[in-house]
Amino acid sequence: MPVTMNAILQVLVYVVLLVLLTKPLGLYMTRVFAGERTWLSPVLVPVERLFYKLCGVRKEEEQRWTGYTISMLLFSIAGMLLLYLLERTQQWLPFNPQQMGAVAPGLAFNTAASFTTNTNWQAYTGEQTMSYLTQMAGLAFHNFVSAATGISLAVAFIRGLSRRSAQHLGNFWVDVTRCILYILLPISIIGALVLVSQGVVQNFNAYTVVHTLDGVTQTIAQGPVASQEFIKEFGTNGGGFFNANSAHPFENPNVITNMLEMLAIFAIPAGLVYMFGRMVGNTKQGWAIWYAMFALFLLGVAVALPMEQAGNPMLTKLGANQAVTAQQAGGNMEGKEVRFGIAQSTLFAVITTDASCGAVNGFHDSYTPLGGLVPLANIALGEIVFGGVGSGLYGMLIFAILAVFIAGLMVGRTPEYLGKKIEQKEMKMAALAILILPASILGFSAIASVLPAGTSSILNSGPHGLSEILYAYTSGTGNNGSAFAGLSANTNFYNWTLSFAMLVGRFLFVIPVMALAGSLVTKKVVPANAGTFPTTGPLFVSLLVGVVIIVGALTYFPAYALGPIVEHLLMLSGKVF
């Protein structure tokens, strides 16, 4: 079944709005991280100075890559321990009208690791597990600080590329403070108010008990939802207040909020790419990266949307009507909300896995085999298609360095990127960063696939069960947080192994990235000449897209394609699976 014109128009509207957001937000972030005056400076500069004074931070003192990285690690460890403590003691703390008990140790550690790493993997039902205080002071707090950490790391990496013969990458504490005060907080307040205006709940009431027309008692969960909802997308966090996440009408009531939340997911990653161009002194460099990301995004939409619109031929053989009519969206509507339909659901799935967000407005486990392969592949690539806030940009820049290295090999000269020679040390760090992710994903998945503790949690046997396991460790290592919901992950085995996968994906990945930035910042800039490979045109964009796809295919294809392709063939043949 071809994609409908309505679906095409919805994708087009989203793309136009994203393009319109990219430059203004990028310019604003450039000014913030350069310490320049903004329209919020009269209000926030005194607050910023107060924080520095209280914490003993000297904003003029910058750090080498080692100091910057150690500060980030210490900050993350402290935040993780505080969140764990809050979860374990929430039964004694205020703002707990439902009298939620202490979170179990394994689950509490998993959740602390998850929100600290910007993954927001949730092996629990939010409205049945976390008190309002834990949701606000623990989870929502980390939605801000983990996002600010990722953005700050990207800014430091850009400085490594833009500065010449230097030693320092900035001050981590200054970058994080400015990011939260000037970018995340003010925009999230506005976004939350817009969500409230559309019906997203925001209160501290106890859950409401009602009696239905059938005489059944029903408990309606509520709470401070809007204040967590917008930042969960804007910071590409993804953890929902409710178990149903953005499929829940109290989180995402209509198509207006759905479009706003999808734009929030890509807004900062797209703006950071433009900021990159401004900071290196050539906006064409930024747009070249943007175009490469956009091409990969469209590729995902072009595969997933037709697959979901076509539906399941097995159901057609059984007499189900999957055609598009005035009364129904047609296609594969299993696991999707009627108020969003095929296009808004599939677009959300592609966007949330291109970024490291993981919020969902439908359930990926119910997607068609090839439709579900797209979110899986998006995360496996490292979520570099605009990607997570910060992590998407420095992840794609790693691939850009790999691309110019390959180009240099083809012409027989030392590769350069932005006038800096890419030599042995830089390539070792880039290769190490790229290989850490598949090592974690495939290693943990292999263990889970052969141990009873791993296989006992899968809902579906056969190829789809393998995909459920792969998706879990891909999502964890990729710091995404979405899931094939058929996997029962709240077990000791999955709580602990996924915790380590999330920590590896965030911190072991970023250490070689920062080492690479520390090496690049010391280099001189070599003037461009006739032999310099241009990194602003269509040739570079094509090479970059090709490198991303080829590296992803060589690394993951045998494991990732097995389950979805076998499922797809079974579906086409009419076999039950």
Side-chain angles (χ1 to χ4, degrees), residues 13 148 174 237 488 499 570:
V13 168
V174 172
N237 300 281
S488 299
S499 295
L570 288 171

Side-chain angles (χ1 to χ4, degrees), residues 474-485:
T474 304
S475 181
T477 303
N479 299 147
N480 184 271
S482 63
F484 269 12

Side-chain angles (χ1 to χ4, degrees), residues 2 49 76 79 102 147 217 235 246-247 287-288 306 317 333 394 411 418 433 490 521 536 562 576:
R49 288 173 179 166
S76 300
T217 300
S246 290
W287 283 115
K317 291 178 182 179
M333 278 298 294
Y394 59 69
V411 298
L418 301 178
N490 189 11
V521 77
T536 58
L562 177 62
V576 177

Side-chain angles (χ1 to χ4, degrees), residues 62 159-166 168-170 420 521 523:
E62 294 199 341
R159 292 186 184 123
L161 286 166
S162 62
R163 294 181 176 180
R164 308 178 181 187
S165 303
H168 301 101
L169 297 175
K420 296 194 172 185
V521 77
K523 291 180 176 288

Side-chain angles (χ1 to χ4, degrees), residues 222-497:
Q222 55 197 305
V225 179
S227 55
Q228 184 170 327
E229 182 67 19
F230 188 81
I231 185 58
K232 96 176 187 194
E233 275 99 14
F234 193 52
T236 64
N237 300 281
F241 189 95
F242 299 102
N243 186 49
N245 208 282
S246 290
H248 198 294
F250 283 179
E251 288 197 23
N252 190 9
N254 53 53
V255 292
I256 295 175
T257 58
N258 197 62
M259 182 63 75
L260 175 63
E261 291 182 18
M262 289 192 295
L263 284 169
I265 294 172
F266 268 4
I268 290 180
L272 283 173
V273 178
Y274 184 82
M275 182 189 78
F276 161 70
R278 295 282 297 190
M279 289 181 67
V280 299
N282 185 352
T283 55
K284 291 182 179 179
Q285 297 286 351
W287 283 115
I289 300 294
W290 197 98
Y291 293 142
M293 292 176 168
F294 181 67
L296 291 166
F297 162 67
L298 283 186
L299 179 62
V301 174
V303 174
L305 189 53
M307 290 296 103
E308 295 305 302
Q309 190 66 71
N312 189 334
M314 292 170 60
L315 296 179
T316 301
K317 291 178 182 179
L318 294 174
N321 180 6
Q322 298 185 84
V324 179
T325 68
Q327 287 76 39
Q328 67 177 27
N332 176 35
M333 278 298 294
E334 179 188 331
K336 299 179 179 66
E337 292 293 304
V338 174
R339 68 185 185 277
F340 300 138
I342 298 291
Q344 290 265 326
S345 300
T346 306
L347 186 59
F348 199 112
V350 175
I351 291 167
T352 197
T353 52
D354 276 336
S356 67
C357 185
V360 294
N361 71 350
F363 286 87
H364 300 173
D365 200 35
S366 295
Y367 275 50
T368 60
L370 296 187
L373 177 60
V374 171
L376 185 59
N378 285 342
I379 306 172
L381 291 176
E383 296 163 320
I384 52 168
V385 185
F386 293 105
V389 286
S391 60
L393 177 58
Y394 59 69
M396 182 58 97
L397 290 175
I398 294 293
F399 276 100
I401 289 171
L402 180 59
V404 297
F405 176 74
I406 293 172
L409 290 178
M410 290 190 292
V411 298
R413 59 172 288 157
T414 302
E416 300 169 11
Y417 188 55
L418 301 178
K420 296 194 172 185
K421 291 187 178 296
I422 307 301
E423 298 173 302
Q424 184 183 52
K425 180 180 179 180
E426 290 76 42
M427 284 313 303
K428 285 181 178 178
M429 292 301 102
L432 181 59
I434 290 172
L435 292 175
I436 282 172
L437 300 184
S440 173
I441 292 168
L442 300 178
F444 281 117
S445 296
I447 294 170
S449 299
V450 297
L451 292 181
T455 56
S456 62
S457 290
I458 59 177
L459 178 65
N460 302 279
S461 59
H464 196 74
L466 174 63
S467 293
E468 288 175 352
I469 293 173
L470 274 169
Y471 197 107
Y473 289 107
T474 304
S475 181
T477 303
N479 299 147
N480 184 271
S482 63
F484 269 12
L487 184 74
S488 299
N490 189 11
T491 66
N492 282 331
F493 177 81
Y494 279 107
N495 277 334
W496 289 105
T497 56

